[in-house]
Amino acid sequence: MIIEGLKLINFRNYEQLQLQLHPKLNIFVGENAQGKTNVLEAVYLSAIGKSFRTSKDQEMIFVDKHQAYVQVKVKRVVYENNIELRLNVDKKKNIKVNQVPLLKLGELLGNLNIVLFSPEDLKIIKEGPGERRKFIDGEISQIAPKYYYNLNQYNKILQQRNKLLKYHKGKKLDLEVWNEQLANIGASLIIYRRNFIKRIAILAKLMHRKITDGIETLEIEYKSSVLIKDHDTVDQIRVGFLKELNQSADEERRRGVTLVGPHRDDLNFNINGLEVKTYGSQGQQRTAVLSLKLAELELIKGEVGEYPVLLLDDVMSELDMKRQNDLIYHLKHVQTLVTTTMLEPLNIKNVQDKALFRVIKGEIGKYE
Ligand SMILES: Nc1ncnc2c1ncn2[C@@H]1O[C@H](COP(=O)(O)OP(=O)(O)OP(=O)(O)O)[C@@H](O)[C@H]1O
C-alpha cells in the first residue's frame, strides 16, 4: 500500500500543507525543529489513531487554534482509503474513513498499515518489559483488531480487580468472578502473543543473519507470565492461568495488586546466546532493532497481502554503510518516509526511485 497524498491544516507547525508523495522513497531533509517528524506523526496518527510522541491530542493542534485536520489518501492493491481526522481542543477527535464516521478508535486499525522505526525503538531492547509489551500490543493490534479489543477489555478487568485488591488490601476477598474473566480474555491474548512472537522471531532471525553475514544469531523468546507450553490450547492456558491466580491469591491480597497475567509478560532478545540488553554493544542493539523492523514489514505483508508504509525517523544516518545498504535493499517494494538533518550520510546515490523534500519552518518544498 502507498500513501498518495497528505493534507494537514493546523497540525503541529503546519498551518496548511498539501503533499504528493512518491510511491517509493521519500526523504525529508531539514534542520532541527523544522517539522520533519511532525509529518511522520501525522501519518502514524492516521494509521493508529494516536501519536507516538504524546498521549495528548491537543499538543498536535497548532498553538492557539481549536482544531487540527489530517487527511491521508491510501492506495491499496484493490481499493483506496481516504482517512480523515479532526483533533479538537475541547472534545474527542473525529475520524472518518471514506466519509464514514468511526464509532471506535479500533475501527481505524488496518486501513493503513505502517511500521515506524525511530531512535526511541532502542527502548524495546534496553528498557523495561513495559516497552516490549507496548511493541507487541501495537504490532498485533494493527493486524488483528480483535486483539486490540480484547486487550482493552483485559485492561479494564485488570484495573477493576486491582482496585478491589488495593481497597481490601490484607483482607479476605472473593475474586472468583474476576479471575474467570481475567483468565478467559487473558488466555486469548497469550495465544495471539505466542503466535505473533513465534513468527516475528523466525523472520527477525533471518534478517539478522543476512545483515551480519551469518555471524550473529538473533533469538527472540516469549516470556509469558503464565506458565505455558508450546502447543497448549486456549482452554489449557485459561485453566493454567486460573490455577496460578489461585496460587498467588495470598500474595496478591498482601500486596494489593494482580501478580499473574499478560500484563506481566516480557520478551527476551539474545544474540549468540547472550542477552542483548545486558551484553550487546550499541551497534548490536541497533542492528537487532533493525532486524525486528524488517521482520515486521514481512510479517505484515504476509498477513495483509501488501507491504505497509515504513516511517524512518532520524535513524538512517545512524546506520553504517552496510546496514544502510541492507535496509535500502529491503525497501525496493516498500513506500518509505525518511527524515534526516543531512543528506550526505545517506547512501542513496544509486536509488533512482525517490523524491527529496526540503522542510523549513512548517513548509515543505522540493529539495534543490
Ligand atoms: N502544537 C504546535 N503548534 C505549533 N508548532 C508546534 C507544535 N508542536 C510542535 N511545534 C513545532 O514543531 C517544530 C518541531 O517539529 P519536529 O518535531 O517535526 O522537528 P524535526 O524537524 O523533526 O526536528 P529534529 O531534527 O530536531 O527532530 C518545533 O519548531 C515546534 O515548536
Side-chain angles (χ1 to χ4, degrees):
M1 65 191 75
I2 58 162
I3 296 172
E4 290 183 314
L6 176 73
K7 185 173 170 181
L8 304 178
I9 302 172
N10 293 331
F11 181 86
R12 291 280 190 191
N13 65 339
Y14 291 95
E15 280 188 274
Q16 289 271 0
L17 174 78
Q18 190 124 24
L19 196 64
Q20 217 62 20
L21 290 179
H22 191 282
K24 294 287 160 56
L25 189 58
N26 295 270
I27 303 181
F28 297 89
V29 191
E31 289 176 6
N32 292 133
Q34 299 303 308
K36 303 182 298 295
T37 305
N38 294 346
V39 173
L40 302 197
E41 189 180 32
V43 171
Y44 187 96
L45 178 72
S46 314
I48 311 292
K50 295 180 202 160
S51 163
F52 57 90
R53 301 202 285 191
T54 177
S55 56
K56 296 188 193 105
D57 286 348
Q58 206 162 330
E59 284 176 19
M60 292 181 274
I61 304 172
F62 198 109
V63 261
D64 297 337
K65 300 281 186 213
H66 288 90
Q67 195 182 61
Y69 174 76
V70 176
Q71 183 195 38
V72 169
K73 288 195 168 154
V74 184
K75 191 167 189 290
R76 305 188 58 142
V77 172
V78 283
Y79 59 96
E80 295 183 4
N81 278 335
N82 179 17
I83 303 173
E84 293 173 281
L85 290 104
R86 280 187 174 81
L87 309 178
N88 303 299
V89 165
D90 44 13
K91 50 183 192 268
K92 272 170 67 177
K93 62 185 155 242
N94 312 102
I95 310 176
K96 282 185 190 170
V97 177
N98 299 331
Q99 314 293 333
V100 181
L102 305 188
L103 299 175
K104 286 183 185 158
L105 199 65
E107 292 172 18
L108 178 65
L109 298 170
N111 286 293
L112 164 64
N113 291 105
I114 46 127
V115 169
L116 167 72
F117 185 9
S118 82
E120 294 281 292
D121 283 313
L122 266 186
K123 286 188 185 167
I124 299 171
I125 305 260
K126 282 162 82 161
E127 299 209 349
E131 287 297 327
R132 289 180 280 284
R133 286 194 296 270
K134 212 160 81 186
F135 159 74
I136 300 172
D137 292 339
E139 295 318 315
I140 307 179
S141 297
Q142 262 205 74
I143 47 176
K146 179 89 198 298
Y147 177 88
Y148 176 79
Y149 174 77
N150 285 354
L151 183 68
N152 280 341
Q153 288 292 106
Y154 179 87
N155 286 335
K156 271 186 208 150
I157 299 165
L158 180 69
Q159 238 178 24
Q160 285 165 346
R161 192 178 185 275
N162 279 342
K163 235 188 215 167
L164 276 174
L165 278 166
K166 200 171 162 196
Y167 188 75
H168 296 281
K169 201 170 163 182
K171 296 185 202 131
K172 218 169 164 46
L173 182 63
D174 184 7
L175 287 170
E176 206 175 318
V177 179
W178 294 101
N179 292 358
E180 286 285 348
Q181 290 188 34
L182 203 67
N184 261 341
I185 206 131
S188 98
L189 295 183
I190 292 170
I191 289 271
Y192 269 115
R193 287 184 180 179
R194 186 183 66 185
N195 294 343
F196 167 76
I197 294 157
K198 211 184 271 171
R199 289 167 60 200
I200 200 138
I202 294 170
L203 292 164
K205 187 178 188 168
L206 282 171
M207 295 295 171
H208 200 84
R209 274 249 172 85
K210 269 194 218 157
I211 298 173
T212 62
D213 291 329
I215 293 170
E216 292 183 1
T217 303
L218 173 69
E219 305 275 1
I220 305 174
E221 190 189 41
Y222 179 29
K223 284 172 64 186
S224 167
S225 142
V226 176
L227 211 64
I228 55 166
K229 289 195 216 89
D230 234 15
H231 298 289
D232 275 356
T233 60
V234 71
D235 208 47
Q236 285 168 317
I237 294 173
R238 185 186 61 80
V239 172
F241 191 173
L242 264 181
K243 203 167 135 195
E244 286 188 44
L245 281 172
N246 288 329
Q247 281 165 351
S248 55
D250 288 344
E251 182 69 10
E252 286 192 334
R253 235 170 272 142
R254 220 173 6 259
R255 293 175 48 184
V257 66
T258 305
L259 294 171
V260 202
H263 61 288
R264 298 206 143 213
D265 281 354
D266 200 357
L267 285 179
N268 244 357
F269 288 81
N270 289 323
I271 289 180
N272 296 346
L274 291 177
E275 198 186 25
V276 189
K277 182 180 178 180
T278 318
Y279 299 101
S281 69
Q282 280 272 17
Q284 274 177 320
Q285 292 177 348
R286 207 173 283 138
T287 309
V289 180
L290 174 61
S291 306
L292 191 66
K293 294 288 153 178
L294 293 175
E296 273 181 63
L297 291 178
E298 296 302 327
L299 193 139
I300 294 178
K301 163 83 167 41
E303 199 60 34
V304 306
E306 297 178 63
Y307 278 109
V309 174
L310 178 64
L311 311 175
L312 297 176
D313 189 20
D314 224 3
V315 286
M316 196 91 153
S317 56
E318 297 286 316
L319 302 170
D320 64 23
M321 283 300 159
K322 156 122 188 46
R323 280 160 183 68
Q324 282 197 27
N325 278 336
D326 282 324
L327 180 57
I328 285 164
Y329 173 81
H330 282 284
L331 302 188
K332 272 190 286 194
H333 307 291
V334 182
Q335 188 188 36
T336 307
L337 278 62
V338 177
T339 69
T340 185
T341 48
M342 279 185 297
L343 207 50
E344 295 71 40
L346 305 194
N347 191 12
I348 49 156
K349 283 188 200 76
N350 299 325
V351 183
Q352 300 300 327
D353 264 350
K354 62 177 185 267
L356 300 179
F357 301 100
R358 165 78 77 191
V359 185
I360 305 175
K361 288 190 187 151
E363 293 194 5
I364 300 186
K366 258 191 161 174
Y367 183 92
E368 312 280 2

